[in-house]
Amino acid sequence: MINCPCIDCRNIDRHSGSVVVAHLVTRGMDEAYKMRSDWYHHGELIPMAEGESKHNQWNDEIVGLYQAAEFLDEEFAAQLEIVEGNDKKEDDFLEKIADAETPPYPTCVNHNKLSAIVSLFRLKTKNGWSDKSFNDLLETLHEMLPEDNVLHTLLHEVKKFLRSFDMGYQKIHACVNDCCLFRKKFKLLENCPKCNASRWQTNMYTGELKKGVPQKVLHYFPIIPRLKRMFRSEQMAKDLRWHFSNKSEDGKLRHPVDSVLGSDESQIPIICSRRKESETWTFY
């Protein structure tokens, strides 16, 4: 059993060598510990070579870890194919960004295509416009603007454009009494498993069920696409990583993140008592 220097364990938890290798491959080494000239937890001295690129050094370490873990060449090639696929997705996204930053018409200076569509869609939602009225507005605006404008003329095209940036939402049928969501194992049910309420609306005149018309719908905005968009902004990504990149380097605790226990909530002291006689504090 050895100390694991990965981001989560931070030389506190001890694991077998194979587990440590797996942690370093999947999580990476703790940056604060990685940049030290002496790895005192493991008794090694590793001088930093002058002029050596951090990027190349990290790549060499990752390749070495794969070799140490005895990954097969086929598996490593599969990983490279995944990376190439991600690069293609990135290129497609950059093309979408270029299209979104196009002005609605050449002389427009206050909006680009994306901001104009989002502003119009916000007005529709805020004021409760019907789909037909919004389509009429889009057609009228398209006729009023110069001929070479790039605004869409149909609500369906607007939604498709927004979904291409993962800005859409998922509709999930819900119990009218908020007992459950009709998803996963309940996806095919027509009645709530708890209160037995019907999933579908009822015709108020005939009393017949309107199959396919739910009584209540949850609009779910997935968190992962939102995080991806946030991290695409350089400044926002810097702010989101503040707790990781702004740790104290002089050994003084100015923020809970500076503690060696800060990455493991199970080890953070949660109960504190003080004895009045000696004014000493005890943590549990």
Side-chain angles (χ1 to χ4, degrees):
M1 305 289 286
I2 60 175
N3 292 332
C4 179
C6 76
I7 290 177
D8 296 329
C9 296
R10 299 181 68 182
N11 284 295
I12 297 175
D13 297 336
R14 296 171 64 85
H15 304 286
S16 64
S18 60
V19 174
V20 171
V21 169
H23 282 194
L24 293 176
V25 170
T26 57
R27 305 175 185 178
M29 185 181 290
D30 180 20
E31 297 299 323
Y33 180 64
K34 185 175 187 174
M35 297 306 173
R36 291 182 59 91
S37 60
D38 58 324
W39 292 6
Y40 61 93
H41 284 293
H42 296 79
E44 300 177 6
L45 295 177
I46 300 184
M48 295 293 291
E50 295 183 1
E52 183 177 5
S53 171
K54 294 181 181 178
H55 180 74
N56 293 334
Q57 179 184 359
W58 294 351
N59 286 341
D60 292 341
E61 290 180 0
I62 292 174
V63 173
L65 288 172
Y66 271 100
Q67 293 174 347
E70 298 181 354
F71 277 83
L72 300 178
D73 293 341
E74 293 80 1
E75 295 181 354
F76 190 74
Q79 294 291 335
L80 293 178
E81 290 179 1
I82 294 175
V83 173
E84 292 175 357
N86 291 337
D87 290 342
K88 186 177 184 301
K89 291 181 180 178
E90 183 70 16
D91 293 339
D92 293 341
F93 186 84
L94 293 178
E95 291 180 3
K96 295 176 184 177
I97 289 293
D99 178 46
E101 292 178 347
T102 304
Y105 52 92
T107 58
C108 180
V109 295
N110 296 324
H111 285 282
N112 55 36
K113 181 179 179 180
L114 179 61
S115 66
I117 289 177
V118 170
S119 298
L120 291 172
F121 201 76
R122 184 185 296 115
L123 289 174
K124 174 190 183 307
T125 305
K126 184 177 179 180
N127 296 282
W129 295 346
S130 65
D131 293 352
K132 183 180 182 304
S133 64
F134 191 66
N135 280 329
D136 293 341
L137 174 65
L138 292 177
E139 292 178 1
T140 303
L141 288 176
H142 187 75
E143 294 175 356
M144 294 174 62
L145 296 177
E147 293 183 359
D148 51 355
N149 72 84
V150 295
L151 283 182
H152 297 294
T153 58
L154 294 174
L155 176 61
H156 172 72
E157 296 176 352
V158 170
K159 290 183 176 181
K160 184 177 180 181
F161 176 77
L162 294 177
R163 279 197 298 269
S164 66
F165 293 94
D166 291 324
M167 298 177 67
Y169 55 83
Q170 299 175 12
K171 291 184 178 181
I172 304 175
H173 297 178
C175 171
V176 67
N177 297 318
D178 300 325
C179 299
C180 73
L181 296 176
F182 292 99
R183 61 189 294 266
K184 293 186 176 180
K185 62 180 181 180
F186 300 142
K187 185 175 182 179
L188 301 178
L189 297 182
E190 296 192 356
N191 294 86
C192 175
K194 183 176 180 180
C195 66
N196 203 37
S198 175
R199 176 178 181 173
W200 314 116
Q201 291 185 13
T202 304
N203 189 311
M204 60 182 300
Y205 299 106
T206 63
E208 296 180 354
L209 292 178
K210 299 179 181 179
K211 291 293 185 69
V213 183
Q215 296 200 65
K216 181 174 287 189
V217 177
L218 169 71
H219 292 75
Y220 170 63
F221 294 82
I223 184 63
I224 293 179
R226 178 179 177 86
L227 291 176
K228 288 181 178 179
R229 292 198 306 272
M230 294 170 70
F231 273 97
R232 286 183 183 275
S233 167
E234 182 177 354
Q235 182 58 43
M236 190 174 295
K238 182 179 178 181
D239 294 339
L240 291 170
R241 289 172 54 84
W242 185 92
H243 288 83
F244 176 81
S245 58
N246 287 271
K247 297 178 182 178
S248 173
E249 298 180 354
D250 56 7
K252 295 182 180 180
L253 180 64
R254 298 182 177 85
H255 189 278
V257 75
D258 298 330
S259 170
V260 294
L261 303 179
S263 62
D264 188 353
E265 295 182 358
S266 64
Q267 300 185 46
I268 297 178
I270 57 174
I271 302 177
C272 174
S273 65
R274 188 178 77 173
R275 292 186 298 175
K276 295 182 179 179
E277 307 82 40
S278 58
E279 295 294 325
T280 59
W281 293 82
T282 304
F283 292 93
Y284 302 91

